[in-house]
Amino acid sequence: KQEVTQIPAALSVPEGENLVLNCSFTDSAIYNLQWFRQDPGKGLTSLLLIQSSQREQTSGRLNASLDKSSGRSTLYIAASQPGDSATYLCAARNEKLTFGTGTRLTIIP
Amino acid sequence: GAGVSQTPSNKVTEKGKYVELRCDPISGHTALYWYRQSLGQGPEFLIYFQGTGAADDSGLPNDRFFAVRPEGSVSTLKIQRTERGDSAVYLCASSPRTARGAGNEQFFGPGTRLTVL
């Protein structure tokens, strides 16, 4: 059974800093890994999807990497802004999508 | 429509009642998924449809939960004899392709917040 872990559970950083969110998964036989953003009381917004054959994806200030063999993915956010404050979820796709419990990110102005 | 829509956005019901939650996927998406998200947790898979049929319902917690997608588009999640423990946000997602293979990004709706009193 796939298990996904996200560390840290919460993170606060000053505006402008670069930061890294971590995601690990136990079953490396994934099709892809997806990073989402969730604002309080809202649904999920897809940020980046990395196919199992890829090592990274970039979108604007976001960069996600995937090391399938070690069961790890990271989400790098450059030049953080207060609007980046949200919960970030990663999800590993085998037959099903298995989510981590998220990292609650707060960017301090 | 532009995205996945879910209705109602909020539902408050009493223990023991029956509820229906609706999901309208992105037009043309063949795959549809239901998830349940409890407070402070990530979403948990409930059921997956490919077209009209339930391809995987292994995440449904018990037989009080049932979902249909009769015409391969709109789906309804039905919960009988609701319990307080059913309180959660129910999320729906759709995907343009089947479960296997590349390019099967899932797009999520805003969710229905169910509260069972």
Side-chain angles (χ1 to χ4, degrees):
Chain A
K1 178 187 173 186
Q2 177 72 274
E3 293 182 3
V4 179
T5 304
Q6 291 186 248
I7 295 173
L11 180 65
S12 293
V13 300
E15 179 179 2
E17 285 198 3
N18 304 324
L19 59 100
V20 174
L21 307 180
N22 296 293
C23 172
S24 61
F25 47 95
T26 56
D27 182 353
S28 62
I30 61 172
Y31 295 115
N32 58 54
L33 187 133
Q34 202 166 348
W35 282 92
F36 295 87
R37 168 186 174 135
Q38 187 171 35
D39 292 284
K42 304 293 185 183
L44 304 178
T45 300
S46 179
L47 298 173
L48 290 164
L49 180 145
I50 312 174
Q51 299 294 350
S52 61
S53 59
Q54 298 173 326
R55 294 194 64 84
E56 66 177 342
Q57 281 286 338
T58 298
S59 176
R61 293 183 294 108
L62 306 180
N63 176 277
S65 68
L66 175 64
D67 184 342
K68 209 171 73 160
S69 61
S70 67
R72 294 182 182 182
S73 177
T74 61
L75 179 66
Y76 175 83
I77 303 177
S80 58
Q81 303 171 359
D84 295 332
S85 297
T87 295
Y88 290 80
L89 293 153
C90 71
R93 181 64 179 274
N94 302 88
E95 296 303 317
K96 306 170 191 176
L97 201 58
T98 303
F99 284 83
T101 53
T103 294
R104 189 173 67 253
L105 176 65
T106 302
I107 305 300
I108 304 165
Chain B
V4 179
S5 62
Q6 292 186 245
T7 54
S9 56
N10 282 284
K11 176 70 177 179
V12 180
T13 191
E14 294 179 345
K15 180 175 177 294
K17 299 291 188 182
Y18 168 82
V19 297
E20 289 189 352
L21 311 179
R22 176 186 168 109
C23 172
D24 275 277
I26 293 172
S27 178
H29 280 193
T30 57
L32 185 145
Y33 310 82
W34 283 99
Y35 296 84
R36 179 168 71 174
Q37 185 175 25
S38 300
L39 191 63
Q41 301 296 314
E44 293 181 324
F45 170 82
L46 294 177
I47 186 170
Y48 151 62
F49 287 89
Q50 181 58 41
T52 61
D56 184 348
D57 64 358
S58 61
L60 294 177
N62 51 60
D63 61 6
R64 295 186 298 105
F65 289 74
F66 189 72
V68 295
R69 195 186 185 198
E71 297 178 356
S73 179
V74 171
S75 177
T76 304
L77 178 65
K78 307 180 180 190
I79 310 174
Q80 299 177 321
R81 304 183 304 281
T82 52
E83 300 177 356
R84 293 192 178 88
D86 298 336
S87 296
V89 175
Y90 289 81
L91 295 164
C92 175
S94 69
S95 174
R97 299 188 189 189
T98 59
R100 295 177 177 81
N104 50 2
E105 183 175 0
Q106 294 189 23
F107 298 87
F108 281 75
T112 294
R113 181 176 299 277
L114 175 66
T115 303
V116 182
L117 301 176

